[in-house]
Amino acid sequence: MFEFFKTKYIKNIFSIILGAGSAQIILILASPILTRLYSPDDFGLFALFVAITSILSVIATGRYEIAALMPNKDENAYNLVFLSILICFFFNFCLIFFIFFFGEQALSYFQIPITYSVLYLIPLGVLLLSMNLILKSWHNRKKRFKHIATESVFQSITISVSQSSLSSWLQSLGLIFGQMISSFLSVLYYLRIFLKKDKTKLNKKKIILLMKKYSQYPLIDVPSSLISISANRALNILLASIFSPSVAGFYYLTQRVLQTPITLISGSILIVFRQQAVQDYKKNNHCKVIYMKTLCLLFLIALLPSTILYFWAENLFAFIFGEQWRESGMYAKVLIPALFLRFIANPLSFVIYIAEKQIWNFIANVILLILLLVSVLTPGDITQVIKLIMFSYSFYYVLLILLSFKLAFNLKFFFR
C-alpha cells in the first residue's frame, strides 16, 4: 500500500495539487478583500454572468475537447482539438447575432436581472472559457501536469489582482472584467505552449470522420452536461430572480469559498486519474484498482476539513469576510454533506465517459435538475430551500458514485 504513494501516478497528482493548493491559498487570501470592495448585489451580478457563460460554454465546443482524450494517435486528437475550436468560433458568431437582435427581449421575457452592458460581454466570456477548456484538455492528454499546475496559480493571481484593482474604476463590473482578463491570459499561456510544442498536420477528411465517430459527445454528452451545469449554475439565476441578487451573492460566495478547493483539488486528481483510468480500461476492460485507490485518497483528503467546516462555518465566514456575509456561512454549513460527496464523485464519475455510457450520466443529470427545480420552486424561506438543495445534490452524487463503481469494476447487476 505504501509503495502506491511512491508511484508516478501519485507524484503527478501531488504536482497538480501543489499548483491547485497554491492557487487556492491565493483565492482565499483575496476573498476577504473582495467581500469588502464589493457588495452581495455585486457578487450576485457576477454570479449571473458566470452562470450564463458556463452554461453556454458546454454547447460551444460540442464536447469534442473531451473526445480528444480518447484516440490512441495524437494526430487524431489534434484534429479533434481543431474541430472543437472551429465549433467554438462558429457558436460564438451565432451567439453574437442572437444577442444583438434578440438579447434584450430575452432578458425581459425571462426576467433575468442583469444589465445590458453585461449582456453584451457574454459572447467574449464564453469564447475565453471555451478556449481554456479546449487547450487544457489537450495539455492533459500530453501529460503536461506541471504546466497545468502553473496555470492554476497564474490564473488565481491574475483574477485576484484584476478584480481588486478594478473595483473603484468599474464598480460592479470589476468582478466580471477581472475574470475575463485572467481567462484571456490563461488562454495565451496555453496557446503559446501549444504552438511551440505541437505541430501536427490537419486533415479535413479525418476531421469529418472523427466528427462522426465521436458524434455521441455532441448528441448525448452536450445535452447531459448542459443539464448538469444548468442544474448547478441556474441556481444563481433562479435565486436572484425568485429572492434577490443579494441572496444569489451569498450563495455564490459559498460556492466560491467551498467549491473552489473541490474544483481545484478533486479536479487535479481527476486530471491524473482519467489519464491512468483510460489506459487501464483499454487494456483490462476495467479500472478497479486505480478507482479504489483514488476513492480512498479522496475520502481521506475530504474528511477533516468537512468536519471542521460543519461546526465552524458561520463564525469563520463572518470573521474572514465580514459580518454581512454570515448568511453565506449558514448556507455552507447546510451544504457540507453534499460538498463532501461531490469531492469524491467528481473525479470518479469520469469512468462513465471512459466506458462510453454517457446516457446514464444524462439520466442522472435530468434527475438532479428536476430535484433542484422542485427545491427552489417549493414555497418556503431561503433556509428551507438550501436544505432541499443539499438533499438533491447528495442523492445525485451518491448515484454517480454507484454508477462509476459499477463501470470501474465492469459489474453487471440490476441493469446493463
Side-chain angles (χ1 to χ4, degrees):
M1 181 67 182
F2 289 104
E3 291 182 0
F4 171 67
F5 290 94
K6 298 179 182 179
T7 62
K8 188 176 181 181
Y9 176 74
I10 288 293
K11 289 179 181 178
N12 286 334
I13 286 179
F14 280 105
S15 175
I16 296 291
I17 288 180
L18 181 62
S22 302
Q24 176 59 22
I25 291 171
I26 294 166
L27 290 175
I28 290 173
L29 292 174
S31 292
I33 299 172
L34 293 175
T35 54
R36 288 165 173 82
L37 293 174
Y38 297 98
S39 69
D41 283 344
D42 294 334
F43 272 90
L45 179 64
F46 179 56
L48 287 172
F49 178 81
V50 171
I52 294 169
T53 54
S54 298
I55 291 169
L56 293 175
S57 68
V58 171
I59 310 170
T61 63
R63 300 295 279 175
Y64 279 110
E65 83 280 5
I66 300 296
L69 292 166
M70 301 305 168
N72 291 322
K73 296 181 179 179
D74 278 351
E75 182 184 355
N76 290 338
Y78 188 90
N79 280 280
L80 283 169
V81 167
F82 187 75
L83 173 62
S84 301
I85 294 172
L86 286 178
I87 294 172
C88 176
F89 276 91
F90 176 74
F91 176 82
N92 277 277
F93 174 79
C94 296
L95 182 61
I96 290 169
F97 178 85
F98 175 83
I99 287 178
F100 185 80
F101 288 102
F102 307 107
E104 296 181 11
Q105 294 93 320
L107 282 186
S108 177
Y109 180 80
F110 291 106
Q111 296 183 338
I112 301 174
I114 65 172
T115 60
Y116 294 139
S117 57
V118 173
L119 174 67
Y120 292 106
L121 291 173
I122 289 173
L124 181 57
V126 173
L127 176 64
L128 292 172
L129 181 56
S130 301
M131 287 297 296
N132 204 312
L133 291 172
I134 293 169
L135 293 169
K136 182 179 286 187
S137 183
W138 171 259
H139 292 307
N140 179 18
R141 176 186 173 85
K142 302 296 288 184
K143 301 181 183 179
R144 293 172 184 153
F145 302 119
K146 289 184 179 179
H147 289 296
I148 294 172
T150 300
E151 187 275 334
S152 295
V153 176
F154 177 72
Q155 188 177 56
S156 294
I157 293 171
T158 54
I159 194 171
S160 299
V161 172
S162 299
Q163 289 181 334
S164 300
S165 59
L166 292 174
S167 61
S168 58
W169 183 35
L170 295 174
Q171 297 178 346
S172 61
L173 293 178
L175 290 168
I176 294 173
F177 273 96
Q179 175 171 288
M180 291 175 67
I181 291 170
S182 176
S183 296
F184 175 71
L185 293 175
S186 292
V187 169
L188 288 182
Y189 173 79
Y190 279 136
L191 193 61
R192 177 177 171 273
I193 300 169
F194 179 76
L195 295 174
K196 183 179 179 180
K197 295 188 176 183
D198 305 308
K199 296 179 181 179
T200 305
K201 291 183 179 180
L202 295 170
N203 187 314
K204 293 181 181 179
K205 291 183 179 180
K206 188 164 287 187
I207 289 174
I208 295 171
L209 289 173
L210 289 167
M211 182 172 62
K212 293 179 180 178
K213 180 179 179 179
Y214 294 97
S215 60
Q216 72 269 26
Y217 285 86
L219 294 177
I220 298 176
D221 192 48
V222 164
S224 176
S225 299
L226 187 61
I227 289 173
S228 175
I229 200 164
S230 295
N232 286 281
R233 298 296 188 179
L235 283 177
N236 290 313
I237 300 172
L238 291 171
L239 290 174
S241 301
I242 296 172
F243 292 95
S244 69
S246 62
V247 168
F250 290 131
Y251 185 78
Y252 175 77
L253 183 67
T254 304
Q255 289 180 307
R256 178 187 175 95
V257 173
L258 298 186
Q259 292 190 19
T260 297
I262 292 174
T263 302
L264 287 172
I265 299 174
S266 75
S268 300
I269 294 173
L270 167 62
I271 288 171
V272 185
F273 168 75
R274 65 185 179 184
Q275 193 275 333
Q276 183 66 51
V278 166
Q279 289 184 3
D280 289 355
Y281 202 90
K282 286 180 179 179
K283 182 180 179 181
N284 306 315
N285 204 31
H286 68 76
C287 55
K288 58 185 180 182
V289 175
I290 201 65
Y291 181 94
M292 287 306 300
K293 289 178 178 178
T294 306
L295 172 62
C296 294
L297 181 66
L298 289 164
F299 181 86
L300 292 173
I301 292 173
L303 186 60
L304 181 61
S306 297
T307 304
I308 293 171
L309 279 170
Y310 181 80
F311 290 103
W312 296 93
E314 290 185 58
N315 291 331
L316 284 172
F317 269 72
F319 176 74
I320 296 171
F321 305 111
E323 189 62 35
Q324 66 171 335
W325 295 96
R326 180 177 288 274
E327 188 167 341
S328 289
M330 183 272 290
Y331 296 175
K333 179 178 180 178
V334 174
L335 291 169
I336 285 296
L339 293 169
F340 177 84
L341 290 169
R342 177 181 176 177
F343 185 85
I344 296 172
N346 270 5
L348 299 179
S349 62
F350 192 78
V351 176
I352 296 173
Y353 291 89
I354 297 172
E356 297 185 354
K357 298 294 183 181
Q358 290 94 327
I359 187 64
W360 292 0
N361 197 39
F362 176 77
I363 293 170
N365 286 324
V366 169
I367 293 171
L368 174 63
L369 182 60
I370 292 171
L371 289 173
L372 289 175
L373 288 174
V374 171
S375 299
V376 176
L377 298 175
T378 298
D381 60 28
I382 186 61
T383 304
Q384 293 172 318
V385 169
I386 296 297
K387 287 180 180 179
L388 290 173
I389 289 172
M390 183 274 292
F391 284 118
S392 299
Y393 274 125
S394 296
F395 178 84
Y396 168 71
Y397 291 127
V398 168
L399 182 59
L400 283 186
I401 292 169
L402 291 175
L403 287 172
S404 62
F405 179 87
K406 168 183 161 52
L407 293 170
F409 281 72
N410 198 18
L411 299 176
K412 295 179 181 179
F413 55 90
F414 299 122
F415 49 85
R416 291 181 178 269

